[in-house]
Amino acid sequence: MTRPYRIASTLAAMLALAACTGKPDAAGSKAGDILAMNRDTTVHPGDDFFSYANGGWIKQNNIPNEESSWGIGNLVVDENLNRLKTINLEAAKAHAAAGTPQQKIGDFWATAMDSTGIEKAGLAPLQPYFASIDSLNDIKGLPALVARFDQLGVGSIISMFVAQDAKNSDAYALQFWQSGLYLPEREYYLKTDSTSLNILKTYQQLVARFLTMSQLPEAEANTQAAAILKLETAMARVHRKLADLRDPYHNYNKMSTAALFKLAPALQVDQYFKILNVPKADTVIVGQPEYYKELNTLVTSTPVATWKAMLRFRLIDNFTEALPDTFGIEKFKFSRLLSGAKERKPRWKRVLRNEESVMGELLGQLFVKEYFNATAKQRYENLVEAIRGAYKTRIEKLSWMSDSTKQKALQKLAAIKKKVGYPDKWKDFSSLQIGTASYVQNLINGNQFWWQYNLNKLGKPVDRNEWDMTPQTYNAYYNPSNNEIVLPAGIFTVPGHRDEDLDDALVYGYAGASTIGHEITHGFDDEGRQFDKEGNLKNWWSDEDGKKFNDRAEVMVRQFNNYVVVDTFKINGKATLGENIADLGGILLGWDAFQQTEQYKKNEPISGISPAERYFLGYALGWLGQTRPEALRNQVLTDVHSPAKFRVNGPFADVDAFYSTYKLTPANKMYLADSARVRIW
């Protein structure tokens, strides 16, 4: 089960790197100075810093056909994927003893890569589940079938999970979230522009195609595909908007289980619990009660044949990669509308993506042994403390915050827990069964393992040492309930460069600002600031300070609302506010910390670039790349992160040190008057 409660993450370009050696002749003595080589010096840095910093590389590197975007992040991911591929190939050759990590990894890989066997099996691995759908005769049996499919990893209309209680972070709670949509976000169902209408039309065709390919008569498949789209559109109308999901109080609705049963009697939640062996729970937290109220109506008003067709489609779609290739090809044709990619990724990359979802931390144990040692772990822990120290000083000097709120902010900052590289204690995968029966069965076993793993938390003490990402993940996050930042080993990679070849300026911009400072600032963004030092949803701000924060944040909302991304699609300043605040905060903290280094104090240029300039170029390097228009449109509608270009140019326009470093004047396109700049942290 994916936990839908927000974990603020860096997503595609939150890169980090290595030791702060401060060598004056570093920055790629063997590979060349990456910061100098990537520039497009025909662009003025004050007009479009993203293009100035990265434009040289972008001009020389087209987006590969299999990708929706291409940049340094993809290079890092590819490097790590090749490392994981080596681990898998070695495990497959080892024929290790049953139950060992190598046996599970090796068998998963060998079975998933056996395309001949998968083609021969056809839809046979799904036949028992088709039979259970066919046996559904009335609506009363729907919740039970939904429950069984949820266990298989086939989500549909109910999103139930166990997570920390936002107002009592020491306890796990049973929680419900809005669900039911196949497309990434409600707006896809409700927008009436030609692009959105084409996506809906093509989605309906995909549903009909999958139903027909699973032996449903063509006429019935077409009828049910139209009915499914109508049903999902009705659900979308009661889904909360992306920006509204960022209000933790509005999405915290605690009620008795009896009240939930009454809210949606047609869902028979008590039977749903019984089938899933849910431990006794007196209360639940419902994120969006209006969704479940409307779902209750839709369950009774929608013909059972449509529900059966929806579950049939979701079953096929969920296991597409483990079925004959014709299914994967059909799904890819549709996904191109959202990603812009022209070709499917090779099979081995698709297999690794599924394998990571099943046993990513098991792979991670082998990954860190080979590619991330204890010395590197300590190095990044030290960098975290340098950034924390810079934030402490910045809070102490705030002119707009009262002393009482400052003290609580400082207490929360000091309490932030750092997790760097990999867990101190690994998850136990001994009960996960992986064999050679079928690719589908291995995926089902994995889904069932994780479903039970999550459910087993209910009623037990909160494990604050748990990681929600694997060590090899190219990402990072702040978890408000634990008041922690988590920095997996996978982000500490710079392709083509060794750690010791990187100067402090590059490191403090690239890692200190865009990852570490960014994640720490999430504890104090528009959403994170509403949690206290113990991770509880609790107001620790004075009314006056809270108003001052919101007024200053509103300046950022207005700034980003004006950025046009592609066509008429603009950034949603409210939905992206937390990430934009974290970007700006990270840049300011990284800069403050960098000024304490020897490189900054000596002010010796490298490749003719001053340390101050290298800091800003280092930050921009983390966003190096380009994205197809289709993917940009999708990002604007579905993502709380602004597109890469605006994660550079947007916050830089608010940083005074950027103006002084590059001598900006009102004639420059990025210039904002001092009164229009965002002043929060």
Side-chain angles (χ1 to χ4, degrees):
M1 290 177 287
T2 300
R3 174 177 156 183
Y5 190 78
R6 183 182 73 91
I7 293 176
S9 66
T10 54
L11 284 191
M14 285 289 95
L15 301 180
L17 24 131
C20 304
T21 62
K23 290 184 179 181
D25 60 346
S29 56
K30 294 182 179 178
D33 184 357
I34 191 171
L35 298 183
M37 294 188 300
N38 286 347
R39 291 179 302 168
D40 179 356
T41 55
T42 66
V43 178
H44 192 287
D47 290 337
D48 180 355
F49 192 83
F50 175 85
S51 296
Y52 164 75
N54 299 322
W57 185 92
I58 290 171
K59 288 179 179 178
Q60 298 177 40
N61 292 272
N62 295 325
I63 303 174
N65 286 339
E66 68 185 57
E67 301 290 349
S68 60
S69 62
W70 191 247
I72 197 165
N74 302 90
L75 299 178
V76 173
V77 169
D78 270 5
E79 187 166 299
N80 287 339
L81 284 175
N82 277 293
R83 291 170 172 176
L84 294 174
K85 181 180 181 181
T86 298
I87 290 172
N88 273 269
L89 290 171
E90 291 175 352
K93 291 179 190 175
H95 302 292
T100 62
Q102 274 202 315
Q103 175 267 312
K104 293 176 181 180
I105 292 170
D107 282 358
F108 188 97
W109 175 265
T111 305
M113 291 298 291
D114 180 14
S115 56
T116 301
I118 290 170
E119 293 293 330
K120 184 177 180 180
L123 290 176
L126 296 184
Q127 288 305 326
Y129 309 107
F130 287 146
S132 66
I133 294 172
D134 293 340
S135 66
L136 180 66
N137 296 316
D138 55 53
I139 291 299
K140 289 182 179 180
L142 177 64
L145 189 56
V146 167
R148 294 189 183 98
F149 274 42
D150 280 345
Q151 274 186 315
L152 302 176
V154 182
S156 54
I157 56 176
I158 295 175
S159 176
M160 183 190 76
F161 57 98
V162 176
Q164 285 166 275
D165 186 327
K167 293 188 177 181
N168 179 15
S169 63
D170 286 330
Y172 288 119
L174 198 60
Q175 311 199 26
F176 287 78
W177 205 259
Q178 63 189 26
S179 185
L181 307 185
Y182 179 84
L183 297 178
E185 220 277 328
R186 71 186 294 276
E187 299 303 324
Y188 277 108
Y189 295 90
L190 307 179
K191 289 175 69 68
T192 57
D193 60 278
S194 59
T195 299
S196 299
L197 292 176
N198 184 52
I199 289 172
L200 289 177
K201 177 184 176 182
T202 311
Y203 168 51
Q204 183 175 326
Q205 292 171 347
L206 174 69
V207 176
R209 182 73 177 132
F210 273 8
L211 293 178
T212 303
M213 292 167 70
S214 67
Q215 305 306 309
L216 222 62
E218 185 175 356
E220 182 181 354
N222 289 332
T223 298
Q224 293 305 334
I228 289 170
L229 179 56
K230 181 181 178 181
L231 174 61
E232 290 183 20
T233 302
M235 288 188 247
R237 290 194 180 99
V238 293
H239 267 232
R240 291 185 185 172
K241 295 181 179 180
L242 191 63
D244 295 333
L245 295 177
R246 292 187 47 77
D247 184 340
Y249 283 98
H250 188 42
N251 292 283
Y252 183 94
N253 302 282
K254 200 166 192 175
M255 61 182 69
S256 66
T257 50
L260 175 61
F261 298 161
K262 187 176 180 180
L263 177 68
L267 293 181
Q268 302 178 62
V269 182
D270 54 341
Q271 292 299 312
Y272 181 86
F273 283 178
K274 185 179 295 184
I275 289 169
L276 295 171
N277 293 316
V278 176
K280 188 178 187 308
D282 296 325
T283 60
V284 295
I285 298 171
V286 182
Q288 304 77 28
E290 67 276 15
Y291 167 75
Y292 284 94
K293 183 177 180 180
E294 177 63 17
L295 183 60
N296 181 75
T297 301
L298 292 173
V299 164
T300 55
S301 63
T302 303
V304 67
T306 300
W307 290 114
K308 291 169 69 172
M310 172 191 266
L311 290 174
R312 192 179 190 90
F313 167 73
R314 296 288 179 93
L315 176 68
I316 296 168
D317 178 79
N318 194 80
F319 297 108
T320 296
E321 292 295 343
L323 297 175
D325 218 30
T326 51
F327 289 91
I329 292 171
E330 289 295 331
K331 184 171 182 177
F332 174 73
K333 288 178 182 177
F334 169 72
S335 71
R336 289 183 304 184
L337 297 179
L338 304 181
S339 70
K342 301 180 185 302
E343 296 177 2
R344 289 175 78 194
K345 292 183 184 296
R347 184 175 194 87
W348 69 270
K349 288 186 177 181
R350 305 197 309 267
V351 167
L352 283 176
R353 180 176 57 190
N354 279 333
E355 185 180 30
E356 292 224 69
S357 71
V358 170
M359 49 184 172
E361 198 168 294
L362 202 62
L363 280 168
Q365 294 179 42
L366 302 180
F367 180 89
V368 297
K369 284 181 181 178
E370 186 70 26
Y371 303 110
F372 194 84
N373 58 28
T375 302
K377 184 181 175 81
Q378 184 62 56
R379 180 181 295 157
Y380 296 109
E381 289 177 346
N382 292 342
L383 187 52
V384 171
E385 295 310 319
I387 297 295
R388 194 198 305 262
Y391 211 165
K392 179 177 183 292
T393 301
R394 187 165 279 272
I395 291 173
E396 290 171 341
K397 292 181 178 179
L398 285 178
S399 60
W400 62 267
M401 183 181 283
S402 67
D403 288 340
S404 61
T405 303
K406 276 185 184 180
Q407 290 307 309
K408 292 172 183 175
L410 290 170
Q411 290 170 9
K412 178 173 183 179
L413 176 65
I416 291 178
K417 182 175 182 177
K418 62 178 183 288
K419 295 178 178 177
V420 179
Y422 50 86
D424 295 324
K425 181 181 178 182
W426 299 98
K427 291 181 175 70
D428 180 6
F429 286 88
S430 59
S431 63
L432 173 63
Q433 298 297 313
I434 297 294
T436 57
S438 75
Y439 189 5
V440 167
Q441 191 58 53
N442 282 340
L443 292 177
I444 288 175
N445 291 351
N447 292 337
Q448 290 175 326
F449 170 85
W450 285 110
W451 179 274
Q452 196 59 48
Y453 177 89
N454 184 259
L455 208 55
N456 286 346
K457 294 179 179 181
L458 200 61
K460 295 179 181 177
V462 169
D463 180 5
R464 293 184 182 267
N465 294 317
E466 183 182 16
W467 282 50
D468 287 333
M469 284 182 180
T470 66
Q472 65 273 23
T473 298
Y474 176 57
N475 214 325
Y477 66 89
Y478 170 77
N479 180 355
S481 292
N482 277 351
N483 192 27
E484 66 181 6
I485 58 170
V486 183
L487 310 166
I491 62 169
F492 299 110
T493 306
V494 181
H497 291 75
R498 300 195 313 168
D499 292 349
E500 58 267 30
D501 290 334
L502 302 168
D503 60 299
D504 278 353
L506 190 155
V507 169
Y508 274 74
Y510 192 47
S514 71
T515 299
I516 298 171
H518 174 99
E519 300 305 341
I520 288 180
T521 305
H522 269 311
F524 303 91
D525 67 15
D526 62 309
E527 185 174 355
R529 76 175 187 86
Q530 300 183 72
F531 291 79
D532 65 15
K533 65 178 182 178
E534 281 85 25
N536 295 313
L537 184 57
K538 181 180 179 182
N539 185 19
W540 49 272
W541 294 65
S542 70
D543 291 343
E544 184 178 356
D545 287 338
K547 182 180 184 305
K548 288 179 179 177
F549 178 95
N550 290 332
D551 289 345
R552 290 165 183 268
E554 187 60 33
V555 177
M556 179 165 271
V557 172
R558 292 195 297 268
Q559 176 187 342
F560 277 80
N561 276 342
N562 289 324
Y563 291 137
V564 178
V565 178
V566 60
D567 302 332
T568 59
F569 286 70
K570 291 184 177 182
I571 293 175
N572 184 332
K574 187 67 174 177
T576 59
L577 178 60
E579 297 298 332
N580 297 333
I581 290 175
D583 284 340
L584 176 57
I587 293 164
L588 295 172
L589 296 177
W591 174 255
D592 290 353
F594 175 56
Q595 289 181 90
Q596 306 306 312
T597 66
E598 286 300 310
Q599 183 183 5
Y600 177 82
K601 293 173 183 177
K602 289 181 178 179
N603 196 29
E604 297 175 352
I606 299 173
S607 302
I609 306 172
S610 72
E613 292 172 319
R614 295 185 68 79
Y615 170 79
F616 290 105
L617 288 168
Y619 176 85
L621 176 65
W623 303 107
L624 170 71
Q626 53 186 320
T627 304
R628 298 187 192 279
E630 297 90 341
L632 284 173
R633 294 188 195 98
N634 182 58
Q635 182 175 359
V636 169
L637 291 177
T638 67
D639 202 339
V640 295
H641 300 79
S642 300
K645 176 179 179 178
F646 302 96
R647 298 189 73 171
V648 175
N649 292 354
F652 276 8
D654 298 307
V655 177
D656 293 343
F658 173 69
Y659 285 74
S660 60
T661 298
Y662 287 97
K663 307 296 187 294
L664 266 68
T665 71
N668 293 121
K669 295 178 182 178
M670 288 178 60
Y671 185 93
L672 290 178
D674 186 271
S675 60
R677 296 174 201 169
V678 179
R679 309 288 191 188
I680 302 177
W681 298 109

